[in-house]
Amino acid sequence: MSLSLFITPLSSTSDSSMIPSTVKKNKNTTTALCFEDTKERIKNMFNKVELSISSYDTAFVAMIPSSASPHAPFFPQCLNWLLDNQLLDGSWGLPDRHPLLINDALLSTLACILALKQWGIGEDKMNKGLQFIESNFTSINDDKQHRPIGFDILFPSLIEYAQTLGINLPIGAISLEAIIQKKDKELQRGFQSNSEGWKAYLAYVSEGMLNSLDLNTITKYQRKNGSLFNSPATTAAVFRNLKNADCLSYLQSVLGKFGNAVPTVYPLDIYARLHMIDSLERLGINHHFKDEIQSVLDETYRYWLQGAEDIFLDPTTCAMAFRMLRLNGYDVSSDPFYQYSEDKFANSLKGYLKDVSAVLELYRASQVIIHPDESVLVKQSSWTRNLLKHNSSPYQLYADKLRIYVDNEVNDVLNFPHHANLERLLNRRSVEHYNADETRILKASYRSFNLANQDILKLAVEDFNLCQSIHNKELKQLGRWIVESRLDKLEFARQKLAYCYFSSAATLFAPELSDARISWAKNGVLTTVVDDFFDVGSSQEEQENLIQLVEKWDVDVNTVCCSEAVKIIFSALHSTICEIGEKSVERQGRNVKDNVIKIWLDLMRSMFTEAEWLRTKATPTIDDYMQNAYISFALGPIVLPALYLVGPKLSDDVAENQELNYLFKTMGTCGRLLNDIQGFKRESEEGKLNAVSLHMLHGNGVVTYEDTIDKLKGVIEENRRELLRLVLKEKGSLVPRDCKDLFWKMMKVLNLFYIKDDGFTSNEMMYSTVNAVLKDPIILN
């Protein structure tokens, strides 16, 4: 077996030869300048987290009376901001809001009206605001409209407060009674449960409940920065009633940063920067910002070691920080997730809300298990996955963004686990689902350029299409190589060029990795040919002849080849290995040709052993089979030579070190077992033994097919986790991380190929997948 899929030849959509060279040169220069300008703007975003202003929260800060006089505002600048920032339709809130965020505008507008009424100012603006509420009030009964957190408590509560201030709200008595009854039912349900999650939720929306809550119990949620839940509205309401000095310090610090108004959440720096890095990685453009990303991760790790509240009090940030730090080689423990076990998560604010972003991040974090004793992550994977699967049922999670984007994220994470998520396919899906104008919703809506913006999307599209154009040229070059090498003349051999090249372009996609991609693809084609040669296309004499030629190496192919097939295969191998050796000199300072010859000899000898078993009808032990099979699976010539071409120096001592051999064996074992499980029926019909049939044969009729599959899947999972541990290991590791990454990239290829069947022999699933990476450019609407 080896890696590859036939697709139609890829052709350009236009004839570039008709374009004058000066025009193309000028166009390329302009594109390159735009590319660099976009990158520079994104780099600057790492320096500052931008947050939109919240009229809702600013209104509550504006309602605080001065310590000198109860008839004047403590923060008059906030009141002035409200007067200056009413929208043309009479509402307050984000400009250019999404049509499904009317409830958000209703809540913000009512809060602003209350602030103005309290200080007896802006009557015209209040009237315009009331007209907006009257015109849009029916949206509160529209199930499609997104409801801010706490809306069913806050909106009725603010209406009741408006009545005490003598505001004549344009709401019918029946409608008013209905929403107040809805609030009372929610409160009754919550007080009956009396869970910690409910108490946290009630504290979070306490600006709407101050007359009926014990404020001293609310202050237990106060953070070191003086805030409650990093919410200016909640903090302002508590300060107004308790005159808590730490609350005041927090509000003053926020206004010191934002001037005369406040956002709906602050600070958000750790989460926003991590989310930005995550977006850059998912979009495939993180390699442009290595220094900036390293700086943020180093800083995040310091916060992690310090036990920063902004990480550990928020399950979303905690899970994201853990996943990104661990995947980047930082030593982080999974112990913090004990506080987010299924029952404890339910007793947190985000657990009570069933916050989909938190559940998504906890699920993603659970996929980076690298230690055998991380049962907390195993359990976390189970309950979060179940919760996400139920998300499409009537029992829905709370979403902090519009449902369509949440559904895309949930479907993506469930359908493509971390170990089967090929980078370029992930990048394409992420671009197609990216919302550059994304609005987040807490108690009020907010935007941040760090969370989503047009520049990031633009760079991702340009980068994807640029890389794809390079990949197209390389694929055509490889097509010519196959013809020149006469590999297409071997009738027994599968022609799998596009498949082989796809597996390299989908993982090693950066332009500067061209040599590694070409090596990966050529060796992929050759392993397919050699696999078919030993499998169905040769006699024992031809097999022995080919092995002897590779052992001798410097021979006259015109006199020593026993058949034309042997001559074609050896000639192609000889030229490819010599080419890799020559290219390695630039990166390694030496020619690694002999290393690559040894890799190929190991593969051929293992294939010869399997051919001998078949010829003699021998039944090897399971151990003998697996010791041979992880090599005969044919990943060695694909992955190992590419290690010399990805950049870092790899000495002979390191290349022959036990660590690298263990990486290869762990990867090869997973691949072989995945292939054997999916190919069992076909290979049984062909009279071939594999891991499944051997387990059943050596089980003396007691071991069933189902038992065997369960056992082998367990072995695959153990090896997959072990491989990830080896790749992420920093202390005591001699193999450079860029080299170790290739083993994990191949693991992702294998898991994608074998999601449903023996992807290597079945074209159906892969055709559109290959075209998405190699042929179809991304075109934005």
Side-chain angles (χ1 to χ4, degrees), residues 10-11 467-476 774-775:
L10 305 180
S11 58
C467 290
Q468 191 181 69
S469 67
I470 294 169
H471 299 162
N472 263 286
K473 291 174 185 174
E474 291 176 356
L475 184 57
K476 289 173 183 174
L774 301 182
K775 184 177 180 183

Side-chain angles (χ1 to χ4, degrees), residues 66 81 90 116 156 194 219 250 313 329 357 375 477 511 566 574 635 670 679:
S66 167
W81 186 91
L116 296 179
N194 204 34
T219 55
Y250 168 76
L313 289 183
S357 290
S375 59
Q477 172 191 334
V566 171
H574 194 282
L635 297 182
C670 280

Side-chain angles (χ1 to χ4, degrees), residues 194-352:
N194 204 34
S195 67
E196 287 302 315
W198 161 254
K199 292 175 184 176
Y201 170 65
L202 212 54
Y204 180 57
V205 299
S206 57
E207 63 266 30
M209 296 292 297
L210 287 175
N211 294 332
S212 56
L213 294 178
D214 179 358
L215 291 177
N216 290 310
T217 64
I218 295 176
T219 55
K220 75 176 185 179
Y221 298 102
Q222 190 167 35
R223 299 190 177 187
K224 291 176 182 176
N225 63 12
S227 79
L228 285 91
F229 306 100
N230 285 342
S231 165
T234 309
T235 309
V238 171
F239 172 69
R240 181 179 177 183
N241 286 269
L242 290 183
K243 303 298 184 284
N244 180 287
D246 291 333
C247 285
L248 177 60
S249 295
Y250 168 76
L251 294 172
Q252 289 173 328
S253 72
V254 178
L255 284 167
K257 181 174 179 63
F258 291 90
N260 51 7
V262 296
T264 198
V265 58
Y266 179 82
L268 199 66
D269 294 39
I270 296 176
Y271 171 78
R273 287 192 172 100
L274 287 174
H275 185 278
M276 187 174 166
I277 294 172
D278 194 42
S279 293
L280 296 175
E281 289 180 352
R282 294 174 70 79
L283 293 166
I285 51 176
N286 53 306
H287 56 284
H288 295 296
F289 309 99
K290 288 181 179 178
D291 292 342
E292 290 78 10
I293 288 172
Q294 187 66 56
S295 176
V296 171
L297 292 177
D298 285 344
E299 184 181 40
T300 304
Y301 187 53
R302 286 197 296 274
Y303 287 136
W304 180 280
L305 295 177
Q306 292 164 8
E309 283 186 335
D310 285 342
I311 292 178
F312 294 104
L313 289 183
D314 178 46
T316 313
T317 307
C318 181
M320 185 179 282
F322 169 81
R323 171 172 58 88
M324 296 178 71
L325 289 173
R326 177 168 278 193
L327 288 176
N328 282 280
Y330 295 84
D331 182 17
V332 287
S333 167
S334 57
D335 287 351
F337 292 113
Y338 282 107
Q339 69 175 319
Y340 297 122
S341 59
E342 186 172 10
D343 55 336
K344 290 180 181 176
F345 177 73
N347 273 322
S348 67
L349 172 59
K350 290 195 171 183
Y352 177 80

Side-chain angles (χ1 to χ4, degrees), residues 700-748:
N700 300 317
V702 177
V703 179
T704 66
Y705 170 76
E706 289 75 17
D707 293 338
T708 302
I709 298 300
D710 286 344
K711 180 178 180 180
L712 295 184
K713 283 183 176 179
V715 175
I716 292 169
E717 182 62 27
E718 287 171 13
N719 278 272
R720 185 187 293 141
R721 290 177 185 173
E722 178 64 2
L723 180 61
L724 185 58
R725 185 190 70 80
L726 293 168
V727 170
L728 301 181
K729 182 182 177 184
E730 294 266 332
K731 292 179 182 175
S733 176
L734 297 175
V735 183
R737 175 64 190 269
D738 285 348
C739 295
K740 292 196 289 186
D741 279 342
L742 263 63
F743 294 94
W744 187 249
K745 289 177 187 294
M746 177 56 87
M747 174 65 75
K748 290 186 174 186

Side-chain angles (χ1 to χ4, degrees), residues 513 516 586-588 642-650 736 738-739:
L513 295 176
E586 181 183 342
R587 285 180 172 80
Q588 300 297 326
L643 301 178
Y644 297 106
L645 302 174
V646 291
K649 288 278 197 295
L650 196 67
D738 285 348
C739 295

Side-chain angles (χ1 to χ4, degrees), residues 308-585:
E309 283 186 335
D310 285 342
I311 292 178
F312 294 104
L313 289 183
D314 178 46
T316 313
T317 307
C318 181
M320 185 179 282
F322 169 81
R323 171 172 58 88
M324 296 178 71
L325 289 173
R326 177 168 278 193
L327 288 176
N328 282 280
Y330 295 84
D331 182 17
V332 287
S333 167
S334 57
D335 287 351
F337 292 113
Y338 282 107
Q339 69 175 319
Y340 297 122
S341 59
E342 186 172 10
D343 55 336
K344 290 180 181 176
F345 177 73
N347 273 322
S348 67
L349 172 59
K350 290 195 171 183
Y352 177 80
L353 294 170
K354 300 179 179 66
D355 185 313
V356 70
S357 290
V359 178
L360 266 170
E361 283 304 330
L362 287 168
Y363 179 65
R364 286 182 176 132
S366 72
Q367 294 183 36
V368 289
I369 299 173
I370 59 174
H371 300 302
D373 55 349
E374 293 190 303
S375 59
V376 64
L377 293 181
V378 175
K379 292 174 183 175
Q380 185 170 300
S381 176
S382 175
W383 72 259
T384 51
R385 182 177 178 83
N386 288 335
L387 209 52
L388 292 171
K389 285 167 74 175
H390 288 140
N391 188 40
S392 57
S393 71
Y395 167 74
Q396 284 204 330
L397 307 179
Y398 167 78
D400 66 349
K401 60 190 85 168
L402 294 174
R403 177 62 56 181
I404 182 173
Y405 300 107
V406 173
D407 288 345
N408 284 334
E409 281 189 66
V410 170
N411 290 334
D412 196 77
V413 80
L414 292 177
N415 292 329
F416 298 95
H418 176 66
H419 59 265
N421 216 351
L422 247 64
E423 283 93 327
R424 227 41 183 160
L425 293 173
L426 169 64
N427 301 156
R428 182 167 194 124
R429 291 194 311 274
S430 298
V431 168
E432 291 169 348
H433 294 160
Y434 191 80
N435 177 18
D437 302 313
E438 180 176 272
T439 301
R440 298 291 185 96
I441 307 100
L442 296 172
K443 287 183 290 191
S445 58
Y446 72 97
R447 296 188 187 121
S448 169
F449 284 123
N450 305 79
L451 300 182
N453 72 76
Q454 204 69 40
D455 279 334
I456 289 176
L457 178 61
K458 179 183 175 184
L459 182 64
V461 172
E462 289 176 354
D463 187 83
F464 186 96
N465 291 340
L466 171 66
C467 290
Q468 191 181 69
S469 67
I470 294 169
H471 299 162
N472 263 286
K473 291 174 185 174
E474 291 176 356
L475 184 57
K476 289 173 183 174
Q477 172 191 334
L478 288 164
R480 291 192 294 272
W481 165 74
I482 283 182
V483 174
E484 290 164 4
S485 302
R486 297 169 60 218
L487 293 170
D488 58 327
K489 303 299 181 187
L490 299 172
E491 294 181 2
F492 59 82
R494 292 164 289 169
Q495 298 300 314
K496 299 285 185 178
L497 169 61
Y499 216 157
C500 293
Y501 183 71
F502 160 80
S503 69
S504 66
T507 51
L508 304 169
F509 53 82
E512 63 270 20
L513 295 176
S514 178
D515 287 346
R517 270 194 305 277
I518 297 294
S519 166
W520 181 300
K522 282 189 174 182
N523 281 310
V525 169
L526 289 169
T527 54
T528 308
V529 169
V530 171
D531 183 53
D532 291 341
F533 174 79
F534 277 89
D535 206 12
V536 295
S538 62
S539 64
Q540 182 175 346
E541 179 192 2
E542 287 174 306
Q543 294 170 4
E544 290 171 343
N545 183 219
L546 180 59
I547 292 172
Q548 288 165 1
L549 292 176
V550 176
E551 287 171 338
K552 293 178 181 176
W553 193 248
D554 293 317
V555 295
D556 180 2
V557 292
N558 295 313
T559 59
V560 294
C561 297
C562 71
S563 70
E564 189 66 13
V566 171
K567 181 178 179 181
I568 291 172
I569 293 172
F570 177 72
S571 299
L573 275 171
H574 194 282
S575 63
T576 300
I577 292 172
C578 287
E579 178 186 303
I580 292 169
E582 290 164 8
K583 286 182 176 178
S584 69
V585 173

